[in-house]
Amino acid sequence: MPNDYEQMWKDLGLDLENHAALMDVLGKVYADIFLSQKDRPAKTAYLDFVMSEVHGLRIRELVDGKKLGKKVVGSYCTFVPEELVLAAGATMVGLCAGADFATDAVERILPRNLCALIKSTFGFKLGGVCPYLEASDLIVGENTCDGKKKAWEVFKGLVPNLYVMDLPQMKHAQGRELLRLEYLRFKDALETLTGNRITAASLSSAIHTVNAKRHAVHRLSALRGMDPAPISGLDSLLVNQIFFYEDPIRFTAQIHELCDELEARVAGKRGVVPSKTPRLLMSGCLMAVPNWKLPAIVETSGAIIVAEESCVGERGTRNLVAAEGASVEALVDRLVDRYLQIDCAIYTPNTDRLQHIREMVDRYRVDGVVMYTLQFCTPYAMESIGLERELEAKGIPVLRVETDYSQEDAGQLKTRVQAFIERVQD
Amino acid sequence: MPNDYEQMWKDLGLDLENHAALMDVLGKVYADIFLSQKDRPAKTAYLDFVMSEVHGLRIRELVDGKKLGKKVVGSYCTFVPEELVLAAGATMVGLCAGADFATDAVERILPRNLCALIKSTFGFKLGGVCPYLEASDLIVGENTCDGKKKAWEVFKGLVPNLYVMDLPQMKHAQGRELLRLEYLRFKDALETLTGNRITAASLSSAIHTVNAKRHAVHRLSALRGMDPAPISGLDSLLVNQIFFYEDPIRFTAQIHELCDELEARVAGKRGVVPSKTPRLLMSGCLMAVPNWKLPAIVETSGAIIVAEESCVGERGTRNLVAAEGASVEALVDRLVDRYLQIDCAIYTPNTDRLQHIREMVDRYRVDGVVMYTLQFCTPYAMESIGLERELEAKGIPVLRVETDYSQEDAGQLKTRVQAFIERVQD
């Protein structure tokens, strides 16, 4: 990234030395994993550009917007409705949580046996290396799992502008009502933050914008699922990751252009891997940038990932919001309809998830499922055991992987993944 | 225990071989830890008797009651209101979760890195060694932590009569309303189970019974807190543990008799340890029978535990229910008032807990706090770090201990505890 961003980073309060070290590693890892892929679609140049400017041009846009009064809302979870943020005239961005940083400092205030994602959230703050976090006028935490719920109590001592959204644990009438009231409270908080009133018109327009973004990734999902796959799982995952950072309208347009190219590839039967390459579904915890370890191992071991059953993937983007309703309250009800369907493992029971996985296995003609759990993520770890049993009973091979953000287990994972790919080929 | 219980255990479906092995270990551990104590109050003979008959006479009572139509409700959590169970004419018992059992079988269906308490719950079922569980007509699980919430999804495949109670994560108006509706739903379930209607009179009477039980342990708390302490922390913990198993009216009467003896001891300045023995508060996760490892280490290292800030202890028994209200609904509101005050770490924020610990430190003239966390219990692990910092800043020494039900770390714990006791003596 050009050096003329340094003043901006400094103004945001980043630790320039730490940040330079992070960018250096990120650039190398990106080159190793993404740029080394063969026969990528030309339009992946968009992804390369976005990633090369992830702490540069995109941050400049946010900072420039802020100068004009456009607020930035940072989020860590797919339950936080971007529609409300856009309707209030603000920008929503996903915050950094995909790499270990400042681990020693983190483990002085959090337990060691906490998931890497939460520790990363704290590490990026303590290390002073997340410009999205520092640019945020409101940071939204949520009561999903125990780890996050309790982490916000500590995080509020590190940032001046934390807002915590409560979430239900069950989808009964009371759960739905809690989500509705929490979304209305969030609407009020956004109106206070921005000074803009959310209207039925602005919310309706925001719903269309976010639906369009989801629709674009739905189109990508269908295309990547063709045989031979016209785009790698890694590049497709990157699209799902960028989904949380990029300007939504530009993102939608660019992904449609990518899909146009993929359609031409499909028509010409041009794949990034040969037809009949083992097709895997990645299912479980979300993968935030730059958490590419496991997909990179899979795709350098002779398989292709044809879909993600994940919050950064189809769990996060599956349903659209019905943009019907004459009032803000009616439209918020439509948001609740949509978000309450998310089959996150924090819910009990969460039986929809098995059904969704089976649908995805059928739709994308999947040969096997990699059940991915971040170590110490109790909700997904608990579900993975039962899901493995249910899927295997239906003849769907499952590899259960529990890992973190370190590279220490990369060799062992490679061996297990290779053995699994051999199994699904039989 | 006499062999004439064998047919009863067999009829309940216990695995007699496993059960005999468990009883054998339990008897030896109890003798080692409790019977070896010096100068115990004579009335601790009641505790010895209850424990010697924990799977015998008490189960016979439950089974005999069942023959007369008296239902048994098993619970794992202090949020389950015994008042409603008694008001329906049923008996409530705490279920076994304090020792490792059938660990290999458990770890085939649960993650290894799950807390020992939940694994124990499953181990006692899979091993066929918990007569309370097998005697229960209704088993009540609750959505407290992630581990339990997701565990019930699996446990329901192992038992025919699981009922899951939802709980809020915050104490806002919605949280209170959820608890109220869940208690009313539980009331309905109990009425269906027993065929008895809960009335204002029966609920009011049940509230008096449970309040009286709590009042008895409040009296014990005040007496054990004297210097020199007239009873050990181990025996006092045992009282708090038996609280969950014993007939409430007999328990109340017996504990008052114990307290009468302790009053005489206090008047005569007769302690189980010398005056000025280092006085420790145990704070954190609950300790279920026979989880006595850490208290036994503490009390054989030259200190005395003068109070438990725990669900099996003052967190569980702190507040009484106001028995005011002309209707069942009004009395249920009083239950909600009381139970919503429990300062369990599942709540966010949970600032009352620090205040309660500080009050207990003052009231019992505590020299130091042992902050006890079951390994992988995220809510208590998260809170313990901040509590340690806050308490140490006030000059209150804290020892943070994370352990499980195994004996593997006993030597290391002993060393740490001894060093801590030396520190608080300085």
Side-chain angles (χ1 to χ4, degrees), chain A residues 80-303:
Chain A
V80 180
E82 185 175 8
E83 291 90 341
L84 288 172
V85 176
L86 297 182
T91 303
M92 190 162 100
V93 290
L95 298 178
C96 311
D100 291 332
F101 210 88
T103 305
D104 288 349
V106 171
E107 292 183 351
R108 278 194 287 274
I109 56 175
L110 294 179
R112 290 191 61 196
N113 50 15
L114 193 68
C115 86
L117 187 130
I118 298 174
K119 287 204 273 193
S120 173
T121 298
F122 279 64
F124 273 84
K125 176 64 203 175
L126 293 172
V129 291
C130 177
Y132 291 93
L133 182 70
E134 305 305 335
S136 291
D137 298 290
L138 192 73
I139 297 165
V140 185
E142 25 39 61
N143 293 339
T144 42
C145 60
D146 288 342
K148 278 184 157 191
K149 179 173 69 175
K150 301 306 285 184
W152 308 128
E153 298 174 10
V154 186
F155 205 57
K156 78 176 189 320
L158 304 181
V159 296
N161 48 3
L162 182 68
Y163 176 97
V164 178
M165 181 179 285
D166 196 21
L167 291 176
Q169 308 189 70
M170 296 184 76
K171 297 183 179 182
H172 44 36
Q174 277 297 306
R176 188 193 157 86
E177 179 64 2
L178 175 62
L179 192 63
R180 192 182 74 84
L181 291 174
E182 282 296 282
Y183 282 1
L184 288 172
R185 187 170 70 90
F186 187 48
K187 174 190 87 69
D188 292 346
L190 292 167
E191 289 178 338
T192 302
L193 176 74
T194 61
N196 299 326
R197 190 137 169 270
I198 293 176
T199 64
S202 71
L203 183 50
S204 196
S205 164
I207 288 172
H208 280 290
T209 298
V210 184
N211 276 349
K213 184 164 85 155
R214 293 191 189 110
H215 178 69
V217 295
H218 295 175
R219 190 178 163 208
L220 173 67
S221 295
L223 287 164
R224 70 185 280 202
M226 298 289 161
D227 185 34
I231 185 170
S232 69
L234 277 163
D235 279 323
S236 304
L237 170 63
L238 195 56
V239 171
N240 280 309
Q241 291 176 328
I242 287 174
F243 183 97
F244 289 91
Y245 296 80
E246 248 287 61
D247 175 83
I249 291 173
R250 182 171 57 220
F251 173 87
T252 302
Q254 292 286 335
I255 299 308
H256 277 301
E257 285 187 27
L258 172 62
C259 289
D260 292 342
E261 183 185 355
L262 298 184
E263 272 181 2
R265 282 192 164 218
V266 167
K269 296 199 181 303
R270 177 176 173 191
V272 288
V273 289
S275 180
K276 311 294 177 202
T277 296
R279 301 160 65 81
L280 302 184
L281 170 67
M282 188 73 73
S283 171
C285 292
L286 69 87
M287 290 176 178
V289 170
N291 177 11
W292 302 307
K293 177 174 67 174
L294 187 56
I297 287 171
V298 169
E299 297 209 326
T300 55
S301 299

Side-chain angles (χ1 to χ4, degrees), chain B residues 2-14:
Chain B
N3 275 337
D4 61 357
Y5 292 133
E6 283 216 348
Q7 188 59 46
M8 173 179 77
W9 293 331
K10 204 170 164 186
D11 293 344
L12 284 171
L14 294 196

Side-chain angles (χ1 to χ4, degrees), chain A residues 282-287 294 353 370-385 399-404, chain B residues 113:
Chain A
M282 188 73 73
S283 171
C285 292
L286 69 87
M287 290 176 178
L294 187 56
R353 191 170 159 222
V370 178
M371 197 64 68
Y372 158 71
T373 304
L374 264 183
Q375 196 181 19
F376 307 122
C377 174
T378 300
Y380 281 94
M382 299 282 282
E383 286 198 353
S384 69
I385 298 172
L399 175 68
R400 249 187 325 128
V401 171
E402 193 167 314
T403 185
D404 57 19
Chain B
N113 50 16

Side-chain angles (χ1 to χ4, degrees), chain B residues 104-279:
Chain B
D104 288 350
V106 172
E107 292 183 350
R108 278 195 286 273
I109 57 175
L110 294 180
R112 289 192 62 195
N113 50 16
L114 193 68
C115 85
L117 187 130
I118 299 174
K119 287 203 272 193
S120 172
T121 298
F122 280 64
F124 273 83
K125 176 65 203 175
L126 293 172
V129 292
C130 178
Y132 291 93
L133 183 71
E134 304 306 334
S136 291
D137 298 291
L138 192 73
I139 297 165
V140 185
E142 25 39 61
N143 294 338
T144 41
C145 60
D146 288 342
K148 278 185 156 190
K149 179 172 71 176
K150 301 306 285 184
W152 309 128
E153 298 174 9
V154 186
F155 205 57
K156 78 175 191 317
L158 304 181
V159 296
N161 48 2
L162 181 69
Y163 175 96
V164 178
M165 181 179 286
D166 196 22
L167 291 176
Q169 307 187 71
M170 295 183 77
K171 297 184 180 183
H172 44 36
Q174 278 296 306
R176 190 194 154 85
E177 179 65 1
L178 175 62
L179 192 63
R180 191 181 74 84
L181 291 173
E182 283 296 282
Y183 281 2
L184 288 172
R185 187 170 71 88
F186 187 49
K187 175 190 86 70
D188 293 345
L190 292 167
E191 289 178 338
T192 302
L193 175 74
T194 61
N196 300 326
R197 191 137 167 270
I198 293 176
T199 64
S202 69
L203 183 49
S204 196
S205 165
I207 288 172
H208 281 290
T209 299
V210 184
N211 275 349
K213 183 165 85 155
R214 292 190 190 110
H215 178 68
V217 295
H218 294 175
R219 191 178 163 209
L220 173 67
S221 295
L223 287 164
R224 70 186 280 204
M226 296 290 159
D227 184 35
I231 185 170
S232 69
L234 277 163
D235 280 323
S236 305
L237 170 64
L238 195 56
V239 171
N240 280 309
Q241 290 175 330
I242 287 174
F243 184 96
F244 288 91
Y245 296 80
E246 248 289 60
D247 175 82
I249 291 172
R250 182 171 58 220
F251 174 87
T252 302
Q254 293 286 334
I255 299 309
H256 278 300
E257 285 187 25
L258 172 63
C259 288
D260 292 343
E261 182 185 357
L262 298 184
E263 273 181 2
R265 282 193 165 219
V266 168
K269 295 201 182 304
R270 177 175 172 193
V272 289
V273 289
S275 179
K276 311 293 177 205
T277 295
R279 301 160 63 82

Side-chain angles (χ1 to χ4, degrees), chain A residues 32-53:
Chain A
D32 280 353
I33 292 181
F34 285 89
L35 303 183
S36 65
Q37 298 176 98
K38 303 276 184 255
D39 196 27
R40 295 170 81 203
K43 195 62 206 175
T44 56
Y46 163 68
L47 307 180
D48 296 342
F49 180 72
V50 168
M51 282 308 296
S52 72
E53 291 288 344

